Amino acid sequence: MASIRVQTADFDVSAELAALGAGRQDIGGYGIFVGTVRGNAHGHAISAMTLEHYPAMTERAMARIAAEAERRWDLLGCTLIHRVGVLLPGENIVLVLAASAHRQAALDAAAFLIDWLKTAAPFWKKERFASGEDNWVDAREADDAAAARWGALTAS
Amino acid sequence: MASIRVQTADFDVSAELAALGAGRQDIGGYGIFVGTVRGNAHGHAISAMTLEHYPAMTERAMARIAAEAERRWDLLGCTLIHRVGVLLPGENIVLVLAASAHRQAALDAAAFLIDWLKTAAPFWKKERFASGEDNWVDAREADDAAAARWGALTAS
Amino acid sequence: MRILYFAWLRERIGTGEEEVAVPAEVNTVGTLVAWMRGRGPAYHAAFAVGNTVRCAVNQEFADPDAVVRDGDEVAFFPPVTGG
Amino acid sequence: MRILYFAWLRERIGTGEEEVAVPAEVNTVGTLVAWMRGRGPAYHAAFAVGNTVRCAVNQEFADPDAVVRDGDEVAFFPPVTGG
């Protein structure tokens, strides 16, 4: 049921909401997270962010995360879009959209989905600083902790 | 800093995101909730939902809720839009949008904002059933509990 | 004193707004509610003891012991159900 | 065996993908990593003991004791940083 996409193009949140909700009257709320490129890291200006991924594995990993969310909450739809390629500060990186009859399920599922996307889907970010230097972003322990609070993924 | 509106017209989530993020490079994520009219209540089909409010009090109450969110989390922007008037099943009712450098703050603030909007802003919903009967929606204890988990509002 | 009614209170009382002159001993939300009950069958039904009625004084939520004064705007309504 | 590298591993090794024939005793992720270290300075640096390198076998995350076989697709990469 989940709609999962990896793309270089930008996404439009309203269009994704409309696509998910088209013709439906059972949805009471949408929990949404949009991640964007920040213009600095560790106090240094960033000129671009490059997103790399492992194509053969990515959609499978994202589908597993979505399936786990659908197992844990009564979702009526779920959209995951992750951009790859060169992105500029202010641009969108990722969209997580979870629809449910009830707001708490929608919000909890959205939080779960982004926490797990950050720790269990094969994407890597490289920052280009204004100085011209490149840096592969380090994984954050805080992200692992955020994902771990949901317990292990059980989907197979 | 918060943008607060009560309106009969629909809202466009992408446009609100663009307005909040215009020219900024400090935002890392947006936590969003969109509430919509469900087509049934207690197993009965609904033909319309009418939203009434207390105009002189509404924006003040919403501003207080937004100020409290801005006090609790490092927000870089916040948009609250609540529709009033006659709404049909599937239509948008409410938009909550919280922007932050960090996703957890954005998501937590969005959850806080919708929980408190439901319990501390003077809106009332009347359902019109397909049978023609009208019913003022009862407040839900679950909503009070959801708001209470954040503790008391301290903004004055 | 300006009194406003919302949602089913407005419908039951038959108006959304009225000006009232209250006796001197009506000086809190609680005493105002008790006084309202005596104004006729519609008021009696709307403010019946079993009903959950909330109040705002000058656009701020107010408890039964909150003070009301001449010139205040006092609103009565059911628990809110927005969002 | 098809080996893939991502992010800084790809850059350090200088290729994103190669076919390798491994000796019979290389039959787990852990023994494959140890064997990789002996393939030259770039591999030695990429798979240095202090580096945190993750692995997927046939597009599934895999621990050091996971089995690898001829014909598998084995990917090495740093901890993921998407989202």
Side-chain angles (χ1 to χ4, degrees), chain B residues 35 51-57 60-61 64 82 93-94 114 117-126 136-140 144, chain C residues 2 4-12 16 54-62 73-83:
Chain B
L51 267 291
E52 176 175 330
H53 76 126
Y54 178 4
M57 183 174 171
R60 183 189 298 203
R64 177 170 302 182
H82 205 301
I93 303 174
V94 63
I114 186 62
L117 265 182
K118 282 191 170 272
T119 53
F123 292 93
W124 299 275
K125 286 196 189 91
K126 182 161 72 172
W136 288 98
V137 174
D138 279 331
R140 294 173 63 235
D144 288 335
Chain C
R2 191 177 181 218
L4 306 181
Y5 307 99
F6 293 96
W8 61 256
L9 275 107
R10 176 178 51 71
E11 291 182 340
R12 197 163 297 181
R54 302 274 189 248
C55 183
V57 177
N58 297 326
Q59 300 95 42
E60 301 282 351
F61 288 108
E73 177 175 293
V74 180
F76 292 106
F77 43 77
V80 303
T81 57

Side-chain angles (χ1 to χ4, degrees), chain D:
Chain D
M1 194 176 288
R2 190 177 182 220
I3 312 287
L4 306 182
Y5 308 99
F6 293 95
W8 62 255
L9 275 107
R10 176 178 51 72
E11 291 182 340
R12 197 163 298 181
I13 289 169
T15 183
E17 180 175 343
E18 59 181 334
E19 276 293 323
V20 299
V22 300
E25 66 270 24
V26 171
N27 54 9
T28 63
V29 170
T31 52
L32 179 59
V33 166
W35 180 78
M36 282 282 180
R37 275 188 202 121
R39 293 180 68 210
Y43 293 93
H44 193 84
F47 289 96
V49 175
N51 290 346
T52 304
V53 174
R54 302 274 188 247
C55 182
V57 177
N58 298 326
Q59 300 93 43
E60 302 281 352
F61 288 107
D63 290 328
D65 57 0
V67 170
V68 295
R69 288 187 191 84
D70 211 30
D72 281 348
E73 177 175 294
V74 181
F76 292 106
F77 43 77
V80 303
T81 57

